[in-house]
Amino acid sequence: MLHQRASTPTAPKGRAGSRNNNALTTPVTHGGIRKRRSNTPRIDKDGDLDMDGPTNGAGGRGRGRGRGGPYENPPTRGNVQASRGQHRGPPRGGFFGGTGIQQAILRGMARGDAKVRNPGGGFGATGALSEAAGRGKGLGGGYDEIRVWGLRESKAASNRDGGVSDLLAFLERKANGPDTKPGDAVRIRKSRPDGDSMIIYVRPEDTPKILRLDTFQFAQSKLTIEKCHGQPTKNEATKAFGSTNAGSSLELKQVFANLLNRRYGMEQKFLDLSSLRTDETLTGRQFFGTGSRGSNLFPALMSTAGRLFTSSKEKREAVVSVSLSGNGLNNVSMVSSLAQTFPDIKNLDLSNNDFADMRSLDAWRWKFRNLDHLILTGNPIENLMPTYSTEILQWYPTLRMLNGVQVRSDQELAALTAGRRLPIPILSPNFQDESQIGENFVKYFFPAYDVDRTNLASSFYDALSTFSFSVNTSAPRATTSEPQKSISWDAYIRGSRNLTKINYPGGRMSRFHTGTEAIRNCWSTLPVTHHPDFLTMGHKWLIECHGLPGQPDMTGQSPTGVGGLIVIVHGEFDEIDISTGNISVKRSFDRTFVLGPGAGVGGIRVVCDQLTLRAYGGYDAFEPEYVDAPVSPITMGTPPSEPYTPEGLGVPVEGKSDEQLRKELMVIEMSKRTGMTLEFSHICLEEKAWDFDSAGLAFEQVKANLPSNAWR
């Protein structure tokens, strides 16, 4: 869909968060004095806002246009370009075998490797299909179509509109010089997302000014800007798309299902999507020859293919090899949805296309994490970049074969796999509780937080307790074969104390809540939640706990402080829509509590509570990387008793520097985890220049030879 420009451009901000194209469709406006407009914006028959349409009753007199109707929506370019020459197929002896491609059907998988839904079972139309069938007009002429890459990789992509308004403002600002007269200023007439890129429309005389911005840096991302060619006329587009009705959408779905049926080889687990332009099913329906319908063809195919399976496991077992050979592709962004639908394929044939450099493959960088064999023969990149294989090996650490030639041995792959575990393997949680204080607190807190936050605040928080929360929009999301949905943070963003975004003291302090009443009021503004049950879904939690000396003594009897606990919780929760009682979204969170003695339930109080919210990231990372991993007492040990601590050691007192206090706390912690005396713990740390991890490794190497007086 084409988008209206935001009224006031802003500087790019934010890390890349959501990567969903839906984010690009939400216009953003910013504060300021604005004219009151009595009339509603002009909208064309596709529902798109006409940026140069009349307002306040004035006729449309936008620069570069007459008095006629609004500009028409331009169709996009085709995803799959004309193939150069006849498709030659994969090289002989490659991973697809010497026999011809088996023209079996996808529904045949139900008899073999996977359970597949009936293609005629009435699955709904996808957005891509609806859009492909629904457009019936084109731009006609008068404006140049320019493609811009780099927005998705920029920090501005996490903005509410996906950074579109910032990008367009940036391009106009850089294209116009300081002495540009208002009548000669470059204006971007319309824009729309197309795969991983943005399409913009400008006057032909402004095109050189936009193209010179190629390689410019925008929000820490390098832009790639190219002019599109072969724009269809209005008559050609109308003729290609024809009429639209519910029957035609159902017919299109069946066309795609039949196409996939014919091109799947069950025995080889091979999906052949080569030379699609010459497929009679598609050529007879004029899918090639217009941009918009062609650009939606491959996403529609992948959406149909994804609906044939009931789980990611079935897709992984049914489709091992995919061929996109002979499709005239010059950039994989046109077919990027393959990585979402079939992320676990092992063999990929991209031969006989038009890939000229690594940039044309960049959309699949770090994708296909199990790729074993890649074919790129018959592409210009072989002659233009003879050393491209070096970079390909960096992108795909499991790749063993490239163009039919072995590039890694089994031993090298095994070493690389082991190397990915280093330097910090995933270990089990470190929970060093004291009298089950931390355990009882966690078991009480989260169920109460879900049902009665008012009483919970009174149970553990006092006048000096603090609470704050922040939203992390750039955290990794759970790996899924389905496209990520746009996630709204509106309920949280106003109160978020993300210090990378809030950099002025007033804003930071207003989001820092002290005292029971302030904390209770803050909690009342947050959405209703439901956390998983500890007993039945313990695998969805990761909880760590250990001692934290030097906490304030509320009785005033110990000026040097008392012992406390720090509890760190990683998990997930369902956000509940109170109007329906249904789950609206699933999120992940990290929450850190500092506990100390107090008048709360169980004789404890919450000194500090910090909550971080992020998009759902799953719980796979909570599983230890390997069971037989060497366990270091620095992270895993649980000594039988606490070390004797002389009075004043490890607590702040007058005249003691911060560095000295840090070293004393390290000595106490080393003694606690290793069982050594404070003296030997001090020697161990001093030998390793007070590097805690290095000291722990050194202890592991020499502990068998330590004298008896080294132990507590």
Side-chain angles (χ1 to χ4, degrees), residues 515-702:
T516 306
E517 192 64 27
I519 294 171
R520 183 188 294 117
N521 292 338
C522 178
W523 284 359
S524 67
T525 66
L526 302 180
V528 176
T529 59
H530 180 266
H531 292 78
D533 180 69
F534 285 106
L535 295 179
T536 59
M537 290 179 281
H539 60 285
K540 295 185 177 182
W541 297 85
L542 189 147
I543 307 174
E544 297 190 302
C545 174
H546 60 82
L548 192 66
Q551 298 308 306
D553 182 8
M554 305 307 294
T555 65
Q557 297 178 0
S558 177
T560 59
V562 294
L565 292 174
I566 181 169
V567 180
I568 304 170
V569 183
H570 308 279
E572 64 185 61
F573 63 83
D574 294 323
E575 202 167 286
I576 308 300
D577 184 348
I578 57 175
S579 62
T580 63
N582 297 326
I583 298 172
S584 59
V585 67
K586 184 185 292 291
R587 304 186 193 273
S588 291
F589 75 92
D590 312 290
R591 197 158 189 166
T592 302
F593 303 93
V594 174
L595 307 179
V601 175
I604 62 174
R605 61 182 289 265
V606 174
V607 179
C608 175
D609 177 3
Q610 293 182 344
L611 170 64
T612 300
L613 300 152
R614 50 191 171 86
Y616 180 64
Y619 48 84
D620 292 342
F622 301 165
E623 293 295 325
E625 188 169 350
Y626 44 91
V627 177
D628 57 346
V631 179
S632 169
I634 297 304
T635 57
M636 296 295 294
T638 305
S641 61
E642 294 289 323
Y644 166 74
T645 305
E647 184 177 357
L649 184 68
V651 294
V653 295
E654 185 178 355
K656 183 183 293 186
S657 66
D658 292 341
E659 178 66 16
Q660 179 62 27
L661 177 61
R662 183 183 70 86
K663 291 182 178 180
E664 290 179 358
L665 291 173
M666 290 176 67
V667 169
I668 295 172
E669 188 67 18
M670 175 67 71
S671 177
K672 183 191 303 183
R673 298 194 180 192
T674 61
M676 293 191 298
T677 62
L678 294 175
E679 181 182 2
F680 272 82
S681 297
H682 184 280
I683 295 173
C684 182
L685 286 164
E686 194 173 43
E687 287 286 336
K688 294 301 178 182
W690 297 96
D691 185 313
F692 199 81
D693 292 334
S694 298
L697 294 175
F699 167 77
E700 281 291 292
Q701 296 172 357
V702 302

Side-chain angles (χ1 to χ4, degrees), residues 126-248:
T126 63
L129 285 173
S130 300
E131 181 180 349
R135 294 202 178 272
K137 59 181 182 175
L139 182 62
Y143 290 96
D144 282 348
E145 182 181 88
I146 298 177
R147 186 182 299 273
V148 182
W149 283 280
L151 174 60
R152 281 196 172 188
E153 294 77 20
S154 70
K155 295 181 66 175
S158 62
N159 296 351
R160 178 174 294 183
D161 68 338
V164 174
S165 59
D166 293 328
L167 174 64
L168 300 184
F170 173 84
L171 293 173
E172 287 187 348
R173 185 171 65 253
K174 294 297 183 180
N176 294 312
D179 300 326
T180 301
K181 297 180 180 179
D184 298 328
V186 174
R187 285 188 60 198
I188 297 173
R189 300 297 174 160
K190 286 189 177 181
S191 65
R192 59 179 174 81
D194 187 53
D196 291 336
S197 63
M198 285 291 298
I199 301 293
I200 62 174
Y201 297 90
V202 299
R203 296 180 304 171
E205 57 266 33
D206 293 336
T207 298
K209 300 177 183 178
I210 295 292
L211 293 180
R212 72 177 180 83
L213 304 181
D214 184 38
T215 72
F216 270 47
Q217 290 286 330
F218 166 73
Q220 299 186 8
S221 174
K222 186 172 73 172
L223 298 179
T224 300
I225 304 176
E226 296 177 358
K227 182 180 178 181
C228 302
H229 300 283
Q231 297 171 213
T233 65
K234 176 181 178 180
N235 292 336
E236 291 172 338
T238 304
K239 179 181 177 181
F241 289 120
S243 61
T244 305
N245 51 55
S248 62

